Amino acid sequence: METLWSIHRPVRDLRPGDHACLFYGGEDEQRHITGAFVRDGLLAQEKVVYLAGSVGDAVPGVPADAPAGTLTFLPAGPREGGTFDPAAAVAAAAAEIDRAAREGYRAIRVAADLTRALRSPAGLERVLYFERHLERTVPPSTQVMALCQFDRRRCNPGEPDALGEGHTVFAAPDPEFEDAVLRIVRTFRPAGLALSGELDASRHTVLDRELTASASRAGGGDLHLDLARLDFIDLGAINILAAIAASREGPGGIVLDRVSPQLRAVLETVGWDMLPGLRLGRT
């Protein structure tokens, strides 16, 4: 059964009243998603309050031309080996929210990386305390939205479920491209792209651009394409896939994941298995 926190929403669509959660699997994923949350707020001259482990931790997404005073960093996490104080973290965040409201900001974004806090003594219980008290501030608000982040590689079994239940939405990447026909979203586990809709001749340029960029990010590793929601692909688009797969350096190829029976039939008709560098992946 789908729970509230399993609802995926592009980070650009988060709005006041949302208490979102992000389980990231690496710095690249965190920078891509949290960076957009921070950057969009700063460029819109909204207040951004960032809670992280300690002073000096990187704040992703800060543009060079961000207006002065719109970003506040709170070292809310414990010192190495120390204990996370959730009451102090909540109080610090609440004080910044109140100050921003008095200063007239139309929206306030709270971003919190709680990974270090989670791994401190009694971390899960203390982080859940923080989340419950933050929840009291965010959902009734017409100004405040929050994005809580956790490195899934450092989560113990069961912790993601416990943490996710305290959030109303799961933050997802913004589309790399989207129109009425085609949607392309970057994926991180595995690295690649998810394609939805239809790939026709008018979108070959877009496909070539996004595949080239994604292949560059993947380096010599496999580039995965999730085609579960792709309803149509024309021969020209298949040729683009084959050309990029053949031009890649290293052992990595283009892996076509979750191909529908209809698309599989098209690929078999054109002899996809004769194209070097292309192969079917997970079903």
Side-chain angles (χ1 to χ4, degrees):
M1 186 174 85
E2 185 179 69
T3 59
L4 282 175
W5 75 277
S6 67
I7 297 172
H8 288 58
R9 184 177 298 162
V11 69
R12 70 182 183 190
D13 294 335
L14 296 180
R15 53 186 179 269
D18 281 340
H19 182 194
C21 186
L22 169 64
F23 291 98
Y24 61 88
E27 292 183 4
D28 191 33
E29 184 175 9
Q30 183 191 28
R31 187 166 53 248
H32 186 73
I33 299 176
T34 303
F37 180 77
V38 172
R39 183 174 57 255
D40 289 351
L42 294 177
L43 293 178
Q45 298 190 32
E46 299 169 350
K47 182 67 176 182
V48 177
V49 180
Y50 199 98
L51 294 86
S54 62
V55 173
D57 285 5
V59 179
V62 180
D65 57 350
T70 55
L71 173 67
T72 297
F73 181 92
L74 297 178
R79 294 179 180 273
E80 197 67 37
T83 301
F84 174 55
D85 185 345
V90 168
E96 288 299 327
I97 290 170
D98 289 343
R99 182 178 297 111
R102 292 195 304 271
E103 291 173 352
Y105 286 95
R106 69 175 184 86
I108 304 163
R109 298 180 181 227
V110 178
D113 190 341
L114 299 166
T115 303
R116 187 181 297 184
L118 185 63
R119 297 277 61 87
S120 70
L124 178 60
E125 293 77 8
R126 291 173 178 270
V127 169
L128 289 175
Y129 175 97
F130 172 86
E131 295 285 9
R132 287 193 299 270
H133 285 75
L134 184 62
E135 176 75 7
R136 296 174 185 173
T137 301
V138 176
S141 176
T142 59
Q143 285 183 290
V144 185
M145 65 188 86
L147 176 61
C148 298
Q149 309 150 66
F150 304 91
D151 188 337
R152 81 168 50 80
R153 299 167 300 180
R154 299 182 63 189
C155 288
N156 293 329
E159 287 181 339
D161 287 339
L163 294 164
E165 289 177 356
H167 299 82
T168 56
V169 67
F170 186 94
D174 291 334
E176 301 297 300
F177 173 84
E178 184 175 32
D179 65 10
V181 175
L182 177 66
R183 189 171 190 256
I184 301 176
V185 179
R186 186 175 171 186
T187 61
F188 298 87
R189 304 174 312 280
L193 300 169
L195 286 72
S196 306
E198 300 182 358
L199 260 173
D200 56 20
S202 64
R203 287 157 185 83
H204 287 176
T205 299
V206 169
L207 176 64
D208 184 60
R209 182 187 70 222
E210 298 302 334
L211 280 176
T212 300
S214 190
S216 177
R217 290 191 296 265
D222 285 336
L223 169 62
H224 286 256
L225 300 183
D226 186 337
L227 306 183
R229 297 185 178 181
L230 188 67
D231 301 319
F232 171 80
I233 184 170
D234 69 357
L235 182 58
I238 295 175
N239 287 336
I240 291 172
L241 296 181
I244 291 180
S247 68
R248 299 193 66 204
E249 298 180 359
I254 292 182
V255 182
L256 308 180
D257 290 328
R258 303 204 299 168
V259 180
S260 69
Q262 295 85 352
L263 285 183
R264 183 186 290 264
V266 172
L267 293 171
E268 290 176 348
T269 298
V270 301
W272 70 268
D273 53 333
M274 304 293 291
L275 303 175
L278 280 182
R279 70 178 190 273
L280 292 180
R282 60 194 174 107
T283 58

